[in-house]
Each structure stands twice: as structure tokens, then as C-alpha cells.
Amino acid sequence: MYRHRHSPTHPYRRRTALTAAALLVPLAAACGTERADGEQPGSGAVSAEQPVTGVRWSVDSVTVDGTTRRAPAGAHVEIEDGKAAGSYGCNHFTAKAVVEGSAVRFSDARATRMACGDHMDFERALAATLADGVLASEVEGRTLTLATADGDRVRLVRK
């Protein structure tokens, strides 16, 4: 029986080794160069932008025209795969969502229409702020802030 032996210099093995090296060199070069705020180079800390999508964000508050309203329990937003869903506190909603860099835009929102008593002012403020065009997003630790061009903002917390 004839057996073909692969030599270390066989073209297939050489190409595989070169491909692996090409993929690993940039990774090795980047190791140890990233730093979190206040960290020194070589400290081993890595700074990574935290995602806005794929997280269930609990709404903490909405600030409109300088007035801050605390969110009722259960108010939340989750953005994933071009869609947003959540609760304004009592009424549930869905919307299209586009996230590009630090910009977030909600459109085509649909919501249930239950009368929720004391929560209606908050719900109207939250719905209007989320629908107010392109929102700037900033994630700091476990907090996400969405801000309108006029300075109104929604403060959300990762639970």
C-alpha cells in the first residue's frame, strides 16, 4: 500500500502556517497597548466600548426642559437586530431602531394604549424623547444616557 507523506515544506502546510501567522501577528502586536482611563501602558487593562444593543436597559429617569421625572418600576428598553422593544412603565412599545456609532434613532413606534393613571405624564415624556430624531448615546459603566439635540435625556441602567 502506498502512503503519501506530507513533508513540513509541503505547499498546503506552508500556506496554512503563513495564514495563521498573518492572523496572529496583528493580535500579538496589539496586546498590552490598550488602556482604560487612568491606566498605564502595559498594566494589562483593556478598554472596550460597551454595547448599547443586546442589553435590557431599565429606565431610571427622563429629563425634559430641565425637569426630571423618575421612571415607574418596569420601564425598560432593549435594542437588538434593528428593533427596539420595552415598556414606558405601563404601556409596552415596539419600534425600529438604528444604531450607528454613538447615534441611536427610533422610528415607527407602536404602543399599547392602556390608561395608566399617574404614569401617563412620564410615558408621554419618555415616548416623545425617544422619538426626537437622532439621539446621542453615552455608556459609562452600567449607565446609558440618550440625549436629544436640545439637551433632553433619558437615563437608563443595566440591571
Side-chain angles (χ1 to χ4, degrees), residues 8-140:
T9 58
H10 187 273
Y12 174 74
R13 286 184 184 228
R14 208 172 335 151
R15 189 171 40 239
T16 302
L18 288 173
T19 301
L23 292 173
L24 293 176
V25 168
L27 294 174
C31 285
T33 61
E34 299 87 357
R35 56 190 159 134
D37 291 338
E39 293 290 335
Q40 297 300 316
S43 68
V46 176
S47 176
E49 186 175 319
Q50 295 189 27
V52 171
T53 62
V55 176
R56 181 181 169 113
W57 296 100
S58 294
V59 180
D60 177 71
S61 62
V62 175
T63 302
V64 176
D65 296 328
T67 301
T68 300
R69 294 174 177 90
R70 290 282 174 220
H76 68 277
V77 177
E78 188 168 352
I79 305 167
E80 191 152 14
D81 298 328
K83 299 175 187 168
S87 170
Y88 294 132
C90 175
N91 285 291
H92 295 273
F93 73 93
T94 59
K96 290 181 182 176
V98 176
V99 178
E100 292 179 341
S102 64
V104 179
R105 182 180 182 95
F106 299 98
S107 62
D108 300 327
R110 299 188 179 272
T112 57
R113 293 181 175 220
M114 296 184 287
C116 302
D118 296 341
H119 301 301
M120 293 311 296
D121 283 342
F122 174 84
E123 291 201 4
R124 279 190 288 275
L126 177 58
T129 304
L130 292 178
D132 193 9
V134 177
L135 304 171
S137 70
E138 182 178 341
V139 179
E140 287 187 26

